[in-house]
Amino acid sequence: MKLRENSITVLENRYLTRDEKGNLIETPEQLFRRVAKYIASGDKIYNKEPNIEKTEEEFYNMMANLEFMPNSPTLMNAGKELGQLSACFVLPIGDSMEEIFDAIKNAALIHKSGGGTGFSFSRLRPSGSTVKSTGGVASGPISFMKVFNSATEAVKQGGTRRGANMGILRVDHPDIMDFISCKKDTSEITNFNISVGLTEEFMNAVEKDEEYSLIDPHTKKITSKLKAKEVFDHIIEMAWTNGEPGIIFLDRINKTNPTPQLGEVESTNPCGEQPLLPYESCNLGSINLDSMLIKKDNGYEIDYEKLGKTVEKSVHFLDNVIDVNKYPLNEIDDMTKKTRKIGLGIMGFADVLFKLKVPYNSQPGVDLARKIMKYIDDKSKEASIKLAKERGTFSAYEESIYKDKDLEFRNATTTTIAPTGTISIISGVSSGIEPLFAISFVRNVMDNDKLIEVHPYFEEIAKERGFYSEDLMEKIAEAGTLAHIKEVPEDIKRIFVTAHDISPEWHIKMQAAFQEYVDNAVSKTVNFTSDATREDVREVYTLAYKLGCKGVTIYRDGSRQSQVLSVGKKD
Ligand code: UDP
């Protein structure tokens, strides 16, 4: 197996099994074997004489060839005692002490097992309202978020990653203005991403510059009215300041809720790509698009036949995960099996664009995104129908939107674009559908040793075209973009664009193109340069709404003291 150095480091640090003394007792091959074997065993539930070996081999080969990777908890926990395999959960929070602290306990159990949790705080009564049993005053959603945050701090997810949370508040909750600025102090509520749940009514009021009503969720009474534009301004101001809150379009999400009779979607998972009903969980998996290319004499092509087969095997894999998963709560077990949502997506999209010589920020780039994702979505539905014939539809099918259309699916949803933060490192490709952050960067090792890491395909092209030199690669790393490097030919510059070369509008157009053919949602960060204005942020938030996205997350370079990715010289 050919793994990159970074991939081996990640696997060794976090995924490969160790003995009680901390010694590694698993190789990457053994990890993929463990996962393949365990997930294939799910076939036994439906088939009395299953060809488990064949399934195991198919699953093993997909992972070992870095063609498909399930989300991290599956890699970490499959075939082990813990056995919790899902990345995403949403938990309900009711408006009573019991329900609030039950949710905290349940979140702790999920974090311990490697999953992330999303919550809507919209049902909690506003701060300052009365509490009947004590005659006291309610502290409101934000003060409870701080309690959730502290609990998360104390529980490291599965011993390998810190718990991640999403906190949502509806825009018509009376505490909305405080919520929007609750992460202004970036040292607070650090284990939460926050997003405002926007309604159609609110977006219309912004457009018409009207007021809208705030409603106490406990009494259901209107408490006051606010000018929609002022609230939107406050969201923009804070997002411009440090990237939060994001926004999600709640009504739009619920328009595509496949099982409205089971309830309303109030929240997404931590990174926003997976809207779920309370107590639902979802397991994700991503196809490495780079491994679906074939080299031809005059360049690369997508091997659609291989892609189609990989989609079918991936859907089979993810459907099995639902049955062999060990759920942290009975309620989650029940809900998850009612809808059997899976989220198949892609990674390595930016790498593929480089090899196909298509710029990310171009109409051909966006058209290609549509074509690829439509193909994956169609194939995933075919695979889900095939499974339904063998295993039955998801149990809430009769109550789903598919019933009237006579579309007998095994899974209420099949597609999601995940961030693939770690599985893309394992697979050695660009993450999700994001553009590359840098073509080359300097890694500081030890005191003065510098290691220059160059995108392998760029290095290949640079050598082929005769402009490669180590000095040039260092210069590119320091500049953070090819835009002003005169040694690089113009046609190469146009193709090898990175996050900051791409205008926010193209980021959104790309997100919207993928969303068209994705059941769930799309994980995407719209990158702004540090000199972007509040108006720029507003335009992007508005454009995302117009183009049919389910939400937006933005980040303006340098707007937080510690940021995950940065380019250029640091002093
Ligand atoms: N997630 C989490 N903690 C983390 C990273 C991810 O709980 O540190 C959850 C979260 O719900 C996120 C989902 O896993 O939305 C998928 O993230 P990603 O694709 O980056 O995970 P990977 O499988 O690559 O580790």
Side-chain angles (χ1 to χ4, degrees):
M1 248 180 80
K2 271 200 188 146
L3 292 173
R4 295 239 193 105
E5 200 181 307
N6 283 350
S7 166
I8 294 170
T9 309
V10 168
L11 286 169
E12 285 181 355
N13 288 348
R14 293 168 47 181
Y15 293 75
L16 301 178
T17 311
R18 290 170 184 271
D19 67 13
E20 278 161 13
K21 290 188 194 128
N23 301 314
L24 282 176
I25 52 164
E26 196 174 54
T27 63
E29 284 86 351
Q30 286 167 332
L31 176 152
F32 295 135
R33 183 58 67 186
R34 160 169 63 78
V35 176
K37 202 180 200 61
Y38 186 69
I39 306 302
S41 75
D43 282 7
K44 287 184 212 157
I45 304 170
Y46 302 101
N47 195 334
K48 287 213 175 65
E49 289 165 31
N51 192 346
I52 297 275
E53 286 79 24
K54 179 171 169 274
T55 306
E56 181 185 323
E57 227 34 50
E58 278 180 4
F59 291 174
Y60 174 80
N61 287 332
M62 279 204 297
M63 290 183 283
N65 296 334
L66 306 177
E67 291 165 357
F68 163 84
M69 223 39 94
N71 55 210
S72 288
T74 304
L75 293 174
M76 289 168 174
N77 303 332
K80 294 212 209 157
E81 201 184 324
L82 184 59
Q84 198 295 104
L85 310 177
S86 305
C88 319
F89 297 82
V90 162
L91 292 173
I93 311 178
D95 187 34
S96 70
M97 276 303 171
E98 285 78 2
E99 288 165 296
I100 292 169
F101 282 87
D102 274 349
I104 293 175
K105 181 183 106 183
N106 293 340
L109 293 174
I110 291 170
H111 291 167
K112 202 179 92 178
S113 73
T117 41
F119 308 92
S120 165
F121 288 86
S122 304
R123 290 175 186 272
L124 300 190
R125 73 192 73 184
S127 65
S129 51
T130 46
V131 179
K132 211 170 164 195
S133 57
T134 61
V137 176
S139 35
I142 296 146
S143 57
F144 283 116
M145 271 176 80
K146 292 180 182 165
V147 185
F148 278 74
N149 191 65
S150 304
T152 306
E153 192 65 37
V155 187
K156 233 184 153 191
Q157 278 179 332
T160 46
R161 51 185 185 179
R162 206 163 268 291
N165 296 303
M166 170 63 90
I168 305 270
L169 198 70
R170 284 177 65 95
V171 73
D172 52 15
H173 190 285
D175 288 358
I176 192 61
M177 288 304 253
D178 290 338
F179 176 80
I180 292 167
S181 47
C182 76
K183 288 192 72 176
K184 188 173 182 180
D185 176 350
T186 48
S187 66
E188 287 242 40
I189 324 191
T190 48
N191 298 307
F192 269 89
N193 296 327
I194 59 163
S195 276
V196 179
L198 302 183
T199 58
E200 293 286 314
E201 186 199 343
F202 174 80
M203 291 309 287
N204 290 336
V206 172
E207 204 180 342
K208 293 187 195 137
D209 194 9
E210 286 174 358
E211 291 189 328
Y212 75 107
S213 305
L214 300 185
I215 299 157
D216 179 335
H218 185 60
T219 61
K220 311 270 187 271
K221 287 193 179 127
I222 294 175
T223 59
S224 61
K225 285 182 184 275
L226 285 178
K227 281 191 86 140
K229 247 192 177 152
E230 280 170 18
V231 177
F232 203 55
D233 282 349
H234 192 39
I235 295 174
I236 303 292
E237 175 69 25
M238 290 315 305
W240 178 86
T241 305
N242 64 18
E244 286 196 90
I247 52 178
I248 63 165
F249 302 115
L250 274 180
D251 291 334
R252 180 171 291 165
I253 286 175
N254 277 294
K255 264 186 204 143
T256 53
N257 175 2
T259 54
Q261 291 186 45
L262 295 190
E264 198 179 310
V265 177
E266 296 172 37
S267 179
T268 68
N269 72 333
C271 303
E273 72 277 13
Q274 189 63 47
L276 291 170
L277 296 169
Y279 288 124
E280 254 186 323
S281 76
C282 185
N283 48 283
L284 310 173
S286 300
I287 291 176
N288 169 5
L289 212 55
D290 190 55
S291 72
M292 299 293 136
L293 292 179
I294 23 174
K295 204 166 182 181
K296 288 276 165 79
D297 291 343
N298 50 356
Y300 288 90
E301 260 177 34
I302 295 177
D303 182 345
Y304 278 98
E305 202 186 322
K306 181 177 177 189
L307 178 59
K309 283 185 185 144
T310 309
V311 170
E312 183 175 351
K313 287 182 277 184
S314 306
V315 169
H316 179 188
F317 184 109
L318 294 173
D319 190 63
N320 278 21
V321 172
I322 297 171
D323 294 313
V324 297
N325 201 348
K326 294 181 189 162
Y327 296 92
L329 291 171
N330 289 336
E331 289 95 328
I332 294 175
D333 196 331
D334 288 348
M335 262 317 274
T336 304
K337 286 178 183 159
K338 270 189 188 153
T339 54
R340 303 189 69 88
K341 285 182 182 169
I342 58 172
L344 180 63
I346 58 168
M347 54 186 159
F349 179 64
D351 293 329
V352 164
L353 288 181
F354 289 165
K355 288 186 181 163
L356 297 179
K357 301 192 171 62
V358 179
Y360 192 101
N361 48 349
S362 70
Q363 197 54 44
V366 169
D367 291 343
L368 184 66
R370 279 205 183 85
K371 183 176 173 198
I372 293 171
M373 204 55 220
K374 178 175 188 325
Y375 186 79
I376 294 176
D377 194 49
D378 286 349
K379 288 285 163 192
S380 72
K381 298 290 182 301
E382 279 173 29
S384 188
I385 288 174
K386 193 171 159 207
L387 280 178
K389 290 204 173 98
E390 295 160 12
R391 304 177 167 189
T393 57
F394 58 95
S395 67
Y397 173 78
E398 295 292 322
E399 298 148 276
S400 78
I401 58 168
Y402 303 123
K403 169 79 176 132
D404 288 342
K405 299 180 194 156
D406 242 359
L407 288 168
E408 301 207 338
F409 294 133
R410 173 72 174 156
N411 314 90
T413 68
T414 56
T415 41
T416 301
I417 303 287
T420 72
T422 352
I423 59 169
S424 65
I425 300 175
I426 296 175
S427 310
V429 294
S430 59
S431 54
I433 60 153
E434 295 290 2
L436 234 65
F437 203 75
I439 292 289
S440 114
F441 58 93
V442 182
R443 189 183 291 275
N444 288 317
V445 273
M446 310 301 229
D447 284 343
N448 287 319
D449 261 358
K450 275 194 288 187
L451 201 73
I452 309 220
E453 284 196 19
V454 187
H455 186 270
Y457 187 60
F458 182 75
E459 187 172 330
E460 193 184 314
I461 293 282
K463 286 179 177 162
E464 221 174 87
R465 298 274 296 260
F467 65 85
Y468 180 86
S469 77
E470 274 199 21
D471 282 353
L472 181 63
M473 298 305 124
E474 191 172 340
K475 195 168 154 188
I476 294 171
E478 278 166 8
T481 158
L482 300 179
H484 310 294
I485 310 272
K486 59 180 187 323
E487 292 90 333
V488 178
E490 285 305 317
D491 63 316
I492 299 291
K493 280 185 190 170
R494 182 66 192 106
I495 294 161
F496 286 87
V497 284
T498 47
H500 287 289
D501 300 327
I502 298 166
S503 72
E505 287 72 23
W506 280 112
H507 279 275
I508 287 291
K509 282 184 189 167
M510 191 58 93
Q511 179 180 337
F514 275 100
Q515 185 62 69
E516 266 179 55
Y517 299 105
V518 163
D519 293 326
N520 296 302
V522 176
S523 168
K524 177 92 190 74
T525 300
V526 177
N527 291 100
F528 284 89
T529 50
S530 60
D531 59 1
T533 63
R534 293 163 178 83
E535 259 333 288
D536 296 333
V537 175
R538 182 195 312 277
E539 269 171 35
V540 156
Y541 272 27
T542 314
L543 188 63
Y545 180 64
K546 286 198 181 123
L547 295 186
C549 297
K550 288 189 176 172
V552 202
T553 310
I554 65 133
Y555 183 70
R556 190 170 58 89
D557 196 35
S559 67
R560 271 183 226 163
Q561 273 188 339
S562 71
Q563 64 185 36
V564 186
L565 298 166
S566 61
V567 290
K569 250 185 178 160
K570 286 260 134 79
D571 43 27

